Amino acid sequence: MKSRISFCLLVLVLSSCYENSFLEEIPKVDIEDEFNIHKIETTDITYSSYFQDSLVTSTKESYLLGNNTDPNRGTVKAMPYFEFELGSTFTGFDDQTLLDSIVFIMKIDSYYFDTIPEFTLNIYEITERLEYRNDDDVFYDFETFSTKRNPLISKTIRYRPSEDSIRITLPMEFATLLFEKARGEEKIFENNEDFLDFFPGFMLEVTGQSPLMLLSKESYISIYHKPPLELLEEDEEYKIPMGENSMGFSNVNVNRSNTPFAQAENYVQIPASDTQNLAIADELGYSYIRIDLGDLTYLGDVPYEYYISEANLHIPVKKGTYNGSFNIPIQTFDVYSIDKNNNIKRYLTQATLTSFDEIFQEATYFVIPIDEFVRSQISGSRQTDGIWLEITSASYFNMGYMIVGENANQYKSKVEITIIPLN
């Protein structure tokens, strides 16, 4: 057995020597510099933030609710206005039907930020019918409708993510009045227009620090009732849903006081040098990021033809502006080329978060392919163009934001360009 092992070891040693000797005999080929593939890195990059003044909120599939203060974005206060929609087959309650209670079931699709703090939920009755005030048939984030002076109910609650809804029992005075209108001579439940004329809907407001929550349009009002001769029986339930076709929107206000962007003005580009070397993209604050790469025409000053095979823009997410639990970085955004006046010229790509460093927050960054844009800049035809970052629009609200800024040198802002000479 020993001799066999020794023989195997001898074979391995000889084989290793043979391979090394063979590799050393391969001739080396020298390639002239102009035929080499060149990698160029440029760090002449500047950021700016750009703010608009409004956001359409009635086209979203859910409503935004909450009151949250963040040191980077500011205070976001979201108050949804919405109406309900009767079922088409219900004609009302019998005069002998007894009311037990009316409960508003708020279904929550998603949430953002910490859910530990308690907050106060105020429910107001709207006193006028919701109707569009523009030719686009949309509601904007700044719009409001009149409500009763005092809330119908105020309740201190804590949202628990383990539960898909928040249940609010409405005051008996309101419940009785609505119920009497449903079973009396007026029978407002026979016609949706009569119902909305009497009860145009709710406005919800949060006071105190809360998470931002997406209120589902599957939320509803439940009327619990029973016939008078069945007092020992369980209550029956009649639901009045919000409905997919009913009107509603979210009033959203973002107060940037006491943030790096406190001095920002709408439709005025503000350089990152004026905002603590930070730039922000935020759908709720209707803010966008502009990136300028400086003069790249010098890259074309070579005595041979070449081809840009790759150009990648590295953008670091600023450490300390996010965490992995309650304030996760935005995962995707759209990338455009823009002119000097911030007019969009063309769509370039959709960027996805390349690396996420939750612990040290040094290596959280995006890598964006910008080959076509760099080619146009090197040609010298559009030196005033920039790159525009916009959080990807969706059917739901993007409750997070993104702030870019320098971290460690290893993950700094840069453009890496690969050039292949052609002659």
Side-chain angles (χ1 to χ4, degrees):
M1 184 69 180
K2 263 186 188 179
S3 60
R4 182 176 298 177
I5 294 174
S6 300
F7 176 78
C8 292
L9 290 173
L10 178 60
V11 170
L12 287 173
V13 170
L14 291 174
S15 300
S16 175
C17 293
Y18 175 80
E19 288 180 2
N20 289 339
S21 175
F22 176 78
L23 291 174
E24 288 173 358
E25 293 175 3
I26 296 178
K28 296 179 180 178
V29 179
D30 293 326
I31 302 177
E32 294 180 5
D33 287 343
E34 61 265 26
F35 288 98
N36 284 338
I37 295 176
H38 299 289
K39 273 192 167 292
I40 299 172
E41 181 180 296
T42 176
T43 57
D44 186 16
I45 296 171
T46 57
Y47 295 105
S48 302
S49 299
Y50 187 84
F51 297 85
Q52 295 184 354
D53 65 354
S54 61
L55 173 71
V56 174
T57 63
S58 57
T59 56
K60 302 294 186 179
E61 293 183 356
S62 53
Y63 301 116
L64 187 65
L65 169 67
N67 185 39
N68 188 275
T69 298
D70 176 270
N72 304 298
R73 164 199 265 170
T75 298
V76 177
K77 185 167 186 176
M79 301 176 291
Y81 292 72
F82 52 87
E83 61 186 23
F84 294 87
E85 184 178 23
L86 290 174
S88 58
T89 59
F90 188 71
T91 58
F93 297 101
D94 184 271
D95 287 345
Q96 302 303 313
T97 302
L98 300 179
L99 172 67
D100 180 82
S101 61
I102 294 183
V103 179
F104 177 32
I105 290 86
M106 301 168 49
K107 286 189 168 292
I108 307 298
D109 279 340
S110 183
Y111 70 94
Y112 204 85
F113 295 114
D114 196 355
T115 59
I116 291 178
E118 288 188 337
F119 56 90
T120 299
L121 176 67
N122 302 310
I123 301 179
Y124 288 84
E125 292 179 75
I126 302 173
T127 56
E128 59 179 323
R129 291 283 298 272
L130 299 182
E131 58 182 12
Y132 298 123
R133 295 168 174 170
N134 54 70
D135 296 333
D136 297 325
D137 289 346
V138 296
F139 292 115
Y140 288 91
D141 62 311
F142 56 80
E143 296 190 67
T144 61
F145 285 79
S146 61
T147 66
K148 291 189 175 179
R149 180 182 298 272
N150 296 316
L152 175 65
I153 185 172
S154 296
K155 186 172 182 179
T156 301
I157 58 177
R158 176 185 290 119
Y159 171 62
R160 294 178 172 83
S162 59
E163 302 175 358
D164 67 349
S165 61
I166 300 172
R167 297 175 61 90
I168 305 293
T169 299
L170 301 178
M172 204 60 189
E173 181 181 359
F174 168 82
T176 301
L177 180 59
L178 181 62
F179 189 71
E180 289 301 322
K181 291 287 184 179
R183 70 174 184 173
E185 292 183 0
E186 295 183 56
K187 293 191 180 300
I188 62 172
F189 281 22
E190 291 184 351
N191 182 283
N192 200 63
E193 292 300 310
D194 293 340
F195 170 71
L196 291 175
D197 285 341
F198 174 76
F199 174 48
F202 283 152
M203 183 273 278
L204 308 183
E205 178 196 40
V206 165
T207 55
Q209 180 84 343
S210 81
L212 297 178
M213 297 165 283
L214 294 183
L215 179 65
S216 171
K217 291 184 178 180
E218 294 182 356
S219 302
Y220 58 92
I221 288 175
S222 276
I223 300 178
Y224 294 97
H225 60 93
K226 68 176 62 176
L229 299 179
E230 300 179 11
L231 298 179
L232 300 180
E233 299 294 327
E234 292 186 0
D235 290 338
E236 296 180 11
E237 181 183 16
Y238 173 69
K239 296 181 179 180
I240 308 176
M242 287 185 185
E244 289 295 327
N245 298 319
S246 58
M247 285 191 169
F249 69 100
S250 301
N251 174 283
V252 183
N253 179 268
V254 180
N255 185 342
R256 290 186 287 269
S257 299
N258 303 316
T259 74
F261 310 97
Q263 304 304 317
E265 299 179 22
N266 294 334
Y267 300 104
V268 176
Q269 184 175 319
I270 182 168
S273 57
D274 292 345
T275 54
Q276 300 178 21
N277 295 317
L278 304 173
I280 184 171
D282 179 14
E283 181 184 50
L284 301 184
Y286 21 86
S287 61
Y288 311 85
I289 295 174
R290 179 187 172 110
I291 303 174
D292 290 283
L293 304 184
D295 187 0
L296 298 178
T297 55
Y298 76 94
L299 299 176
D301 296 335
V302 292
Y304 52 81
E305 296 293 326
Y306 62 88
Y307 173 74
I308 295 176
S309 66
E310 190 175 46
N312 291 315
L313 172 62
H314 293 244
I315 301 176
V317 181
K318 184 62 178 178
K319 65 188 300 183
T321 63
Y322 63 90
N323 61 57
S325 301
F326 307 123
N327 185 11
I328 303 170
I330 287 292
Q331 304 294 301
T332 62
F333 55 79
D334 291 324
V335 185
Y336 300 85
S337 64
I338 53 174
D339 63 19
K340 64 180 179 180
N341 297 316
N342 295 319
N343 297 310
I344 291 177
K345 299 178 70 71
R346 69 178 61 184
Y347 178 78
L348 297 179
T349 187
Q350 183 179 83
T352 303
L353 189 65
T354 306
S355 174
F356 179 43
D357 178 6
E358 181 179 354
I359 299 176
F360 300 106
Q361 298 196 354
E362 296 284 353
T364 300
Y365 58 87
F366 290 83
V367 177
I368 307 172
I370 55 169
D371 311 9
E372 180 182 351
F373 179 81
V374 168
R375 292 189 193 105
S376 72
Q377 294 297 284
I378 291 178
S379 70
S381 59
R382 291 190 292 272
Q383 279 299 300
T384 57
D385 285 359
I387 291 175
W388 183 264
L389 306 184
E390 180 176 323
I391 293 178
T392 302
S393 181
S395 58
Y396 53 87
F397 287 96
N398 285 292
M399 295 180 284
Y401 59 87
M402 181 184 70
I403 292 183
V404 301
E406 301 302 333
N407 295 320
N409 289 334
Q410 185 178 357
Y411 304 105
K412 62 181 180 294
S413 301
K414 61 183 178 180
V415 178
E416 289 183 343
I417 305 171
T418 302
I419 294 178
I420 302 176
L422 300 178
N423 56 14

